[in-house]
Amino acid sequence: MTSPSHRRARPARRPVRVPLLTVVAVAAVALVVSLVIALRPDGGPGGPSEAGKDRAASVAGARTDTQPTPTAESASPSPSTASPSPKASTKAPTKSAKPSSAPASARAAAKPAPRKPVTAAAPSSGRIRPGATYQGVATAYDSNGDGACSYGPTSDVMNAAMNTTDYETSRACGAYVLVRASSGKSITVRITNECPAPCQPGQLDLSQQAFAKLAPLSTGRIAITWSLLSPETSDTISIRYKTGSSQYWCGIQAIGHRNPLASLEVRTGGGWKALPRTGYNYFLSEQGTGCGSAIRLTDIYGEQLTVGALPVRANVVQPTGIQFARH
């Protein structure tokens, strides 16, 4: 026989009965509340109304204008529409940036013609150039006008010997030079000789008569400047064949030219042939080419003079009646 439990059994709960009228009333109240909430202008289950959204966007936009968030687009400056400042507008454009209003044909005509290239046969003034001024010293020696240029003695003692550097293998022979001393005195001399070392570049060894016109001979040495001249002269050019010349070998010399010579050519069956110049101021034809034929002389300014054929008469001065133009 099972003993009875000492736990007391919970009595069964009686169901509560709610009157139907009460339920209906509660439901009606809930419906009314729901309608009121749904019809509010700024609320509802779905969040703020459209008007609220617009106001929120307006407020957000105002904040954006005052404190923009940096972006790639906003970081780039927008193009300015302001007019240029007077300072900027008065600045002159550079020559290369200035547009040309002239037609293309006019611009092309205005351009300078290209320089023609200098050929190897073009005359050259060598070291002594027209228009240049050279500095040096002047010394004196006893001269009769003869010397390395092989002109022979002369009664004109206003001559000088050129230092070896500027003598330049007799290219200076026959040149007229204006010499100025620091005292302001000046003379014109003709180069007839070479002054070897110890004469320095720029140095002239003047005849004693020429030096005495600048300073006392006892001075011995003075500072000078000098420049090339193309003087007035009534002399004309002469041609001389060297002693021993024949149709098989000849040396040709030009005498009395106003301007220094750049070249001497002889006519051959194949045209003009330039002869090499010696240190004693003759142009040599070792094989006799052109000996006794026409001769063409070119000075340092590029002027050319043609001498008709002359007989090969050794050591005889033969006049030509022609002369280079003055410059």
Side-chain angles (χ1 to χ4, degrees), residues 100-183:
S100 174
S101 58
S105 59
R107 292 198 302 271
K111 292 182 179 180
R115 285 176 171 265
K116 293 182 179 180
V118 179
T119 62
S124 169
S125 58
R127 286 182 57 86
I128 304 175
R129 301 179 179 276
T133 299
Y134 301 88
Q135 294 183 342
V137 296
T139 50
Y141 79 109
D142 187 10
S143 169
N144 63 359
D146 197 9
C149 292
S150 306
Y151 290 134
T154 177
S155 59
D156 182 7
V157 292
M158 296 299 290
N159 49 65
M162 181 67 76
N163 66 85
T164 297
T165 301
D166 295 322
Y167 183 77
E168 200 176 6
T169 315
S170 76
R171 291 177 71 95
C173 285
Y176 289 88
V177 174
L178 176 64
V179 184
R180 296 184 180 88
S182 57
S183 63

Side-chain angles (χ1 to χ4, degrees), residues 69-269:
T69 302
T71 63
E73 183 176 354
S74 63
S76 302
S78 59
S80 174
T81 57
S83 300
S85 64
K87 184 176 181 180
S89 62
T90 56
K91 183 179 179 181
T94 60
K95 188 173 182 180
S96 60
K98 185 176 181 180
S100 174
S101 58
S105 59
R107 292 198 302 271
K111 292 182 179 180
R115 285 176 171 265
K116 293 182 179 180
V118 179
T119 62
S124 169
S125 58
R127 286 182 57 86
I128 304 175
R129 301 179 179 276
T133 299
Y134 301 88
Q135 294 183 342
V137 296
T139 50
Y141 79 109
D142 187 10
S143 169
N144 63 359
D146 197 9
C149 292
S150 306
Y151 290 134
T154 177
S155 59
D156 182 7
V157 292
M158 296 299 290
N159 49 65
M162 181 67 76
N163 66 85
T164 297
T165 301
D166 295 322
Y167 183 77
E168 200 176 6
T169 315
S170 76
R171 291 177 71 95
C173 285
Y176 289 88
V177 174
L178 176 64
V179 184
R180 296 184 180 88
S182 57
S183 63
K185 296 180 180 180
S186 64
I187 56 170
T188 298
V189 294
R190 182 169 172 252
I191 304 302
T192 61
N193 203 357
E194 177 184 7
C195 183
C199 278
Q200 299 297 313
Q203 182 172 347
L204 294 176
D205 204 17
L206 305 176
S207 67
Q208 291 180 351
Q209 295 86 341
F211 189 97
K213 291 182 179 296
L214 299 177
L217 286 176
S218 59
T219 307
R221 184 184 184 95
I222 60 174
I224 59 168
T225 60
W226 53 273
S227 56
L228 186 66
L229 281 182
S230 179
E232 292 184 5
T233 180
S234 58
D235 292 343
T236 58
I237 298 172
S238 297
I239 296 295
R240 178 165 56 190
Y241 279 95
K242 194 179 187 313
T243 301
S245 293
S246 68
Q247 60 179 329
Y248 305 107
W249 179 96
C250 66
I252 308 173
Q253 181 187 57
I255 305 170
H257 42 85
R258 184 198 312 265
N259 306 318
L261 284 181
S263 65
L264 184 150
E265 302 165 280
V266 292
R267 190 189 296 277
T268 69

